[in-house]
Amino acid sequence: MNPRTIARLKQHELIENRQLKTGKHIDDIPNRAVKHSDSTNEFRILNNYFFRNRNIYISKHSRFAEYPEHTHQFLEMNYMLSGECDQIVNGKQVHLRKGDLLLIDVGCSHSISRLDEDDILINLLFRDQSININFLSGMRKSNSLVYNFLLNRVSGGGKLTPKYLIFRSEHSEDIKMTMEQIIEEYYEKREFSDTILQAYLSILLVKLVRNYHVSAPEGSNAKQKLIINILKDISKNYRDISLTNLATKYKYNKNYLSNVIKKETGDSFKDLLTKQRLIQAHILITSTTLPIEEIVEKIGMKNKTHFYKKYKEFYQRMPGDDRK
């Protein structure tokens, strides 16, 4: 990142100087932008304050005092540009290190502990209220057998999604790169900056979907862990994987393994394999100009008529419709 931008963010702002002197939180948002709860000390920050003349709002979180519990009417991203911080998010302790990104859903409560001199936390907010963790989850769910299975296990049926997500820097270098491009573009205020920020935001959202994972729930049994590994194998080797291959790899009887897959996922091995092939076909159809006949061959399906039938069942439209 441009050293000039970093130096600017490290400078003390007026509120930071006051908080450094008193050690107490100073409100930087007017009362008209806040709706207080009648039953708790929590408050909700309203949309209109941030988005009067812009679609994206970025700010540096003020250092040297704790920030009280609050919620937003919009999706919020907290990016740890330098240093580290602790937060309580949805009642749980969260620790962020340099390069980590915390995605907080609409209505999710959080508070932030005191930040010190070298702790630079960047807040990114944007206007589109249709973008939330459910939206990202839906995109991810349609492109990952593993994610779909894990979400069902975590939520007890797949109807619930997490209220926040953490993207760790060591696993999401591409997210880190785009986030820092956004920050620099926002603060440098160069020509066409608004247009570039909108493009970067679109890229960032897609990268968040690509890196959106749900961990296996604590206490997962041996069969669930086996299924997670099998689903990863199917996702990676969908073209030519077979139940016989998997039975040999994991040293199980083929029929027994087939029953375990059906019991744990609700689908047969054959159905899971077909779903993964259709997902891959959809990606190729929407992102390349390859002929559909060639795509059918690439994903490992032999019968073109069978492919069209299954694609229509899975996506509720024909392959050609996704290229219009």
XYZ file of all heavy atoms in Angstrom, residues 5-68:
549
model
N -0.673 6.827 2.260
C -1.967 6.449 2.819
C -1.808 5.889 4.233
O -2.574 6.222 5.141
C -2.653 5.397 1.920
O -2.777 5.915 0.586
C -4.033 5.046 2.448
N -0.815 5.050 4.414
C -0.571 4.466 5.740
C -0.235 5.561 6.754
O -0.749 5.571 7.882
C 0.565 3.427 5.664
C 0.115 2.240 4.796
C 0.953 2.947 7.063
C 1.185 1.211 4.556
N 0.630 6.503 6.351
C 1.008 7.602 7.257
C -0.212 8.431 7.637
O -0.365 8.844 8.793
C 2.065 8.472 6.588
N -1.094 8.654 6.670
C -2.308 9.426 6.944
C -3.199 8.710 7.958
O -3.750 9.332 8.876
C -3.070 9.654 5.645
C -4.397 10.358 5.835
C -5.083 10.599 4.516
N -6.389 11.202 4.705
C -7.192 11.594 3.715
N -6.783 11.448 2.468
N -8.368 12.119 3.955
N -3.333 7.396 7.819
C -4.186 6.629 8.718
C -3.610 6.543 10.123
O -4.354 6.393 11.102
C -4.401 5.222 8.149
C -5.284 5.155 6.889
C -5.183 3.783 6.241
C -6.737 5.472 7.234
N -2.308 6.649 10.248
C -1.671 6.569 11.569
C -1.714 7.900 12.320
O -1.473 7.936 13.524
C -0.230 6.081 11.425
C -0.139 4.590 11.091
C 1.293 4.086 11.141
C 1.328 2.578 10.944
N 2.704 2.037 11.040
N -2.007 8.983 11.615
C -2.101 10.281 12.280
C -3.258 10.288 13.284
O -4.289 9.646 13.080
C -2.333 11.389 11.251
C -1.123 11.685 10.369
C -1.429 12.758 9.334
O -2.585 13.127 9.129
N -0.398 13.260 8.687
N -3.086 11.036 14.369
C -4.151 11.156 15.368
C -5.227 12.105 14.866
O -4.927 13.214 14.411
C -3.591 11.698 16.679
C -2.779 10.702 17.436
N -2.475 10.840 18.770
C -2.206 9.536 17.047
C -1.754 9.812 19.168
N -1.569 9.004 18.139
N -6.477 11.680 14.972
C -7.603 12.560 14.680
C -8.048 13.224 15.975
O -7.628 12.831 17.067
C -8.733 11.741 14.049
C -8.326 11.126 12.708
C -9.394 10.196 12.135
O -10.439 10.025 12.803
O -9.166 9.646 11.040
N -8.912 14.229 15.855
C -9.327 14.985 17.034
C -9.965 14.085 18.092
O -9.663 14.189 19.285
C -10.303 16.095 16.622
C -9.706 17.240 15.796
C -10.807 18.209 15.369
C -8.628 17.975 16.591
N -10.853 13.200 17.659
C -11.510 12.295 18.607
C -10.495 11.381 19.264
O -10.572 11.088 20.466
C -12.616 11.486 17.905
C -13.839 12.380 17.641
C -13.017 10.267 18.736
C -14.971 11.694 16.938
N -9.511 10.931 18.491
C -8.488 10.055 19.057
C -7.671 10.782 20.131
O -7.336 10.199 21.171
C -7.566 9.537 17.954
C -8.249 8.513 17.045
C -7.325 7.973 15.975
O -6.575 8.780 15.376
O -7.342 6.756 15.729
N -7.360 12.039 19.887
C -6.625 12.811 20.897
C -7.440 12.944 22.181
O -6.907 12.847 23.293
C -6.273 14.199 20.351
C -5.110 14.142 19.356
O -4.241 13.275 19.476
N -5.105 15.051 18.405
N -8.747 13.153 22.051
C -9.605 13.272 23.229
C -9.707 11.934 23.963
O -9.692 11.883 25.188
C -10.990 13.759 22.810
C -10.999 15.202 22.302
C -12.362 15.575 21.730
N -13.407 15.522 22.755
C -14.710 15.611 22.485
N -15.105 15.733 21.211
N -15.596 15.562 23.455
N -9.826 10.855 23.183
C -9.920 9.531 23.802
C -8.599 9.132 24.450
O -8.592 8.484 25.505
C -10.354 8.485 22.765
C -11.780 8.691 22.293
C -12.313 7.582 21.406
O -13.514 7.442 21.221
N -11.423 6.782 20.822
N -7.482 9.528 23.846
C -6.169 9.237 24.425
C -6.012 9.962 25.763
O -5.435 9.418 26.715
C -5.066 9.673 23.452
C -3.626 9.424 23.889
C -3.372 7.932 24.123
C -2.651 9.976 22.846
N -6.560 11.149 25.827
C -6.437 11.960 27.052
C -7.337 11.437 28.170
O -6.932 11.380 29.341
C -6.783 13.407 26.732
C -6.600 14.365 27.902
C -6.876 15.795 27.459
C -6.680 16.755 28.639
N -6.937 18.168 28.229
N -8.564 11.033 27.804
C -9.537 10.644 28.831
C -9.650 9.134 29.020
O -10.101 8.668 30.076
C -10.928 11.181 28.466
O -11.383 10.542 27.245
C -10.900 12.687 28.265
N -9.296 8.373 27.993
C -9.476 6.926 28.049
C -10.913 6.498 27.888
O -11.244 5.316 28.011
N -11.800 7.452 27.580
C -13.223 7.157 27.445
C -13.687 7.334 26.002
O -13.169 8.178 25.266
C -14.038 8.076 28.362
C -13.743 7.864 29.848
C -14.582 8.797 30.699
C -14.301 8.593 32.178
N -15.104 9.513 33.026
N -14.706 6.562 25.638
C -15.266 6.637 24.290
C -15.952 7.981 24.055
O -16.739 8.452 24.884
C -16.277 5.511 24.084
C -17.130 5.673 22.866
N -16.629 5.579 21.595
C -18.464 5.942 22.736
C -17.603 5.766 20.723
N -18.728 5.993 21.396
N -15.641 8.611 22.922
C -16.276 9.861 22.510
C -17.175 9.560 21.315
O -16.719 9.021 20.298
C -15.227 10.923 22.100
C -14.202 11.143 23.213
C -15.918 12.220 21.702
C -14.777 11.715 24.482
N -18.455 9.886 21.426
C -19.371 9.644 20.309
C -18.953 10.457 19.095
O -18.763 11.674 19.184
C -20.802 10.023 20.700
C -21.463 8.957 21.560
O -21.086 7.782 21.398
O -22.322 9.303 22.383
N -18.835 9.775 17.954
C -18.520 10.473 16.708
C -19.682 10.424 15.727
O -19.558 10.789 14.567
C -17.265 9.868 16.058
C -17.403 8.372 15.805
O -18.364 7.768 16.313
O -16.544 7.808 15.100
N -20.853 9.957 16.210
C -22.041 9.853 15.370
C -23.166 10.633 16.039
O -23.433 10.441 17.229
C -22.463 8.386 15.196
C -21.324 7.594 14.530
C -23.735 8.261 14.377
C -21.577 6.108 14.455
N -23.848 11.520 15.326
C -24.922 12.327 15.936
C -26.101 11.469 16.359
O -26.337 10.387 15.822
C -25.305 13.299 14.816
C -24.869 12.630 13.551
C -23.644 11.849 13.892
N -26.886 11.963 17.311
C -28.031 11.214 17.839
C -29.049 10.848 16.759
O -29.696 9.809 16.836
C -28.725 12.018 18.944
C -27.944 11.979 20.245
O -27.214 11.024 20.500
N -28.091 13.014 21.059
N -29.179 11.687 15.740
C -30.174 11.415 14.702
C -29.829 10.169 13.889
O -30.688 9.607 13.204
C -30.302 12.620 13.767
C -29.076 12.882 12.910
C -29.275 14.059 11.967
N -28.137 14.280 11.096
C -27.038 14.931 11.424
N -26.944 15.470 12.641
N -26.044 15.082 10.567
N -28.552 9.726 13.963
C -28.117 8.559 13.202
C -28.160 7.281 14.022
O -27.785 6.224 13.547
C -26.694 8.778 12.674
N -28.643 7.391 15.262
C -28.595 6.257 16.185
C -29.990 5.995 16.743
O -30.719 6.920 17.114
C -27.616 6.537 17.347
C -27.664 5.405 18.366
C -26.205 6.721 16.817
N -30.346 4.718 16.819
C -31.597 4.316 17.462
C -31.227 3.491 18.687
O -30.636 2.416 18.584
C -32.471 3.491 16.517
C -33.814 3.108 17.129
C -34.698 2.386 16.122
C -36.047 2.049 16.740
N -36.937 1.348 15.782
N -31.566 3.981 19.878
C -31.215 3.315 21.121
C -32.277 2.293 21.504
O -33.471 2.488 21.269
C -31.043 4.336 22.246
C -29.851 5.217 22.069
N -28.590 4.868 22.516
C -29.725 6.430 21.472
C -27.748 5.842 22.211
N -28.397 6.796 21.581
N -31.811 1.201 22.105
C -32.723 0.165 22.594
C -33.319 0.596 23.931
O -32.638 1.188 24.764
C -31.975 -1.162 22.754
O -32.771 -2.100 23.445
N -34.600 0.273 24.138
C -35.257 0.612 25.404
C -34.850 -0.333 26.529
O -34.936 0.006 27.703
C -36.784 0.560 25.243
C -37.280 1.643 24.293
O -36.622 2.692 24.198
O -38.316 1.413 23.640
N -34.397 -1.537 26.152
C -34.158 -2.565 27.174
C -32.685 -2.823 27.464
O -32.350 -3.429 28.470
C -34.807 -3.888 26.732
O -34.317 -4.275 25.461
N -31.780 -2.386 26.570
C -30.348 -2.630 26.769
C -29.570 -1.358 26.483
O -30.120 -0.344 26.053
C -29.845 -3.741 25.828
O -29.883 -3.259 24.469
C -30.697 -4.991 25.935
N -28.267 -1.432 26.712
C -27.400 -0.296 26.401
C -26.970 -0.282 24.935
O -26.257 0.605 24.498
C -26.143 -0.348 27.288
C -26.490 -0.075 28.749
O -27.395 0.704 29.033
N -25.776 -0.730 29.658
N -27.402 -1.289 24.206
C -27.008 -1.413 22.802
C -27.692 -0.336 21.962
O -28.806 0.096 22.250
C -27.395 -2.807 22.307
C -27.023 -3.095 20.860
C -27.497 -4.479 20.441
O -27.313 -5.431 21.221
O -28.040 -4.583 19.331
N -27.015 0.102 20.896
C -27.639 1.034 19.969
C -27.421 0.570 18.537
O -26.508 -0.185 18.242
C -27.104 2.457 20.165
C -25.623 2.614 19.926
C -25.134 2.971 18.676
C -24.707 2.422 20.966
C -23.782 3.123 18.459
C -23.347 2.569 20.751
C -22.877 2.924 19.503
N -28.294 1.032 17.630
C -28.245 0.633 16.232
C -27.940 1.855 15.380
O -28.573 2.898 15.520
C -29.586 0.026 15.806
C -29.594 -0.497 14.378
C -30.895 -1.216 14.079
N -32.037 -0.321 14.176
C -33.298 -0.705 14.123
N -33.595 -1.981 14.024
N -34.277 0.172 14.192
N -26.954 1.708 14.498
C -26.565 2.814 13.619
C -27.357 2.723 12.323
O -27.380 1.680 11.662
C -25.051 2.779 13.340
C -24.284 2.872 14.671
C -24.648 3.908 12.409
C -22.786 2.694 14.536
N -28.024 3.782 11.954
C -28.922 3.796 10.805
C -28.175 4.072 9.500
O -27.090 4.660 9.484
C -30.019 4.841 11.022
C -30.797 4.694 12.343
C -31.805 5.828 12.484
C -31.492 3.343 12.416
N -28.817 3.691 8.409
C -28.187 3.786 7.092
C -27.909 5.202 6.621
O -26.855 5.516 6.098
C -29.096 3.122 6.042
C -28.689 1.685 5.766
O -27.556 1.303 5.998
N -29.627 0.907 5.278
N -28.898 6.082 6.763
C -28.855 7.370 6.075
C -27.646 8.229 6.433
O -27.188 9.043 5.633
C -30.141 8.155 6.349
C -31.347 7.499 5.714
O -31.186 6.701 4.799
N -32.528 7.806 6.200
N -27.133 8.070 7.634
C -26.012 8.899 8.070
C -24.786 8.693 7.193
O -24.087 9.643 6.847
C -25.676 8.583 9.529
C -24.436 9.287 10.018
C -24.426 10.661 10.222
C -23.262 8.570 10.267
C -23.286 11.316 10.658
C -22.119 9.213 10.708
C -22.130 10.578 10.904
O -20.997 11.219 11.336
N -24.515 7.462 6.821
C -23.296 7.155 6.075
C -23.454 7.335 4.571
O -22.481 7.629 3.870
C -22.861 5.713 6.357
C -22.438 5.483 7.773
C -23.223 4.746 8.631
C -21.246 6.003 8.245
C -22.835 4.530 9.942
C -20.842 5.795 9.552
C -21.636 5.052 10.403
N -24.662 7.128 4.040
C -24.804 6.983 2.599
C -25.607 8.106 1.940
O -26.312 7.886 0.979
C -25.456 5.632 2.288
C -24.705 4.461 2.862
C -25.324 3.604 3.753
C -23.387 4.229 2.520
C -24.636 2.528 4.291
C -22.686 3.160 3.042
C -23.312 2.309 3.932
N -25.482 9.303 2.452
C -26.227 10.414 1.880
C -25.759 10.744 0.457
O -26.560 11.010 -0.417
C -26.082 11.652 2.776
C -26.897 11.566 4.059
C -26.513 12.639 5.036
N -25.148 12.468 5.528
C -24.573 13.242 6.434
N -25.239 14.262 6.936
N -23.347 13.011 6.854
N -24.449 10.729 0.234
C -23.928 11.112 -1.084
C -22.980 10.072 -1.662
O -22.186 10.377 -2.549
C -23.178 12.454 -0.970
C -24.078 13.561 -0.491
O -25.147 13.767 -1.057
N -23.650 14.265 0.546
N -23.052 8.839 -1.154
C -22.114 7.828 -1.629
C -22.704 6.437 -1.426
O -23.631 6.250 -0.651
C -20.790 7.949 -0.870
C -20.909 7.580 0.608
C -19.687 7.951 1.381
N -19.885 9.242 2.024
C -18.946 9.887 2.704
N -17.738 9.388 2.783
N -19.194 11.045 3.270
N -22.148 5.463 -2.146
C -22.591 4.078 -2.015
C -21.666 3.263 -1.111
O -22.055 2.215 -0.610
C -22.661 3.416 -3.391
C -23.770 3.994 -4.240
O -24.877 4.188 -3.771
N -23.463 4.299 -5.495
N -20.428 3.730 -0.961
C -19.444 3.041 -0.129
C -18.919 4.020 0.909
O -18.637 5.175 0.593
C -18.274 2.513 -0.992
C -18.788 1.523 -2.045
C -17.207 1.850 -0.124
C -17.735 1.117 -3.064
N -18.810 3.556 2.134
C -18.287 4.393 3.204
C -17.144 3.653 3.889
O -17.296 2.509 4.317
C -19.384 4.721 4.218
C -18.919 5.567 5.377
C -18.873 6.954 5.273
C -18.518 4.978 6.575
C -18.452 7.735 6.338
C -18.100 5.762 7.650
C -18.063 7.142 7.519
O -17.639 7.912 8.568
N -15.990 4.310 3.989
C -14.822 3.722 4.638
C -14.340 4.678 5.719
O -14.306 5.895 5.510
C -13.693 3.451 3.624
C -14.141 2.378 2.620
C -12.412 2.992 4.325
C -13.131 2.091 1.529
N -13.985 4.137 6.863
C -13.452 4.978 7.926
C -12.442 4.191 8.744
O -12.477 2.959 8.776
C -14.572 5.490 8.844
O -15.169 4.406 9.540
N -11.560 4.925 9.403
C -10.651 4.316 10.364
C -11.339 4.299 11.720
O -11.895 5.308 12.153
C -9.349 5.121 10.440
C -8.341 4.550 11.443
C -7.129 5.452 11.576
C -7.475 6.711 12.372
N -6.290 7.547 12.640
N -11.299 3.163 12.396
C -11.899 3.084 13.727
C -11.036 3.870 14.717
O -9.822 3.726 14.755
C -11.999 1.621 14.171
C -12.699 1.448 15.476
N -14.062 1.499 15.601
C -12.216 1.274 16.729
C -14.395 1.325 16.865
N -13.289 1.196 17.576
N -11.677 4.714 15.506
C -10.950 5.570 16.450
C -10.267 4.732 17.537
O -10.883 3.841 18.122
C -11.905 6.575 17.095
O -12.455 7.437 16.120
N -9.020 5.073 17.802
C -8.222 4.339 18.795
C -8.364 4.936 20.204
O -8.965 5.967 20.396
C -6.739 4.375 18.385
C -6.441 3.625 17.088
C -5.066 3.968 16.551
N -5.037 5.332 16.021
C -3.955 5.897 15.455
N -2.825 5.221 15.365
N -4.020 7.134 14.993
N -7.777 4.212 21.170
C -7.526 4.677 22.545
C -8.738 4.646 23.472
O -8.700 5.221 24.558
C -6.909 6.089 22.543
C -5.749 6.218 21.588
C -5.771 7.164 20.580
C -4.637 5.393 21.700
C -4.710 7.290 19.692
C -3.567 5.502 20.819
C -3.604 6.450 19.811
N -9.841 3.974 23.059
C -10.987 3.794 23.962
C -11.833 2.631 23.456
O -11.848 2.334 22.251
C -11.832 5.061 24.041
N -12.523 1.976 24.358
C -13.429 0.898 23.971
C -14.636 1.463 23.226
O -15.083 2.571 23.521
C -13.900 0.128 25.208
C -12.795 -0.639 25.916
C -13.316 -1.475 27.064
O -14.545 -1.435 27.312
O -12.509 -2.162 27.709
N -15.146 0.684 22.262
C -16.340 1.097 21.527
C -17.505 0.230 21.997
O -17.409 -0.996 21.975
C -16.146 0.942 20.024
C -17.115 1.758 19.203
C -16.797 3.052 18.800
C -18.361 1.245 18.850
C -17.694 3.814 18.061
C -19.260 1.996 18.114
C -18.916 3.280 17.728
O -19.815 4.039 17.011
N -18.605 0.831 22.446
C -19.698 0.054 23.058
C -20.420 -0.853 22.065
O -20.319 -0.694 20.846
C -20.629 1.144 23.597
C -20.339 2.354 22.773
C -18.877 2.281 22.428
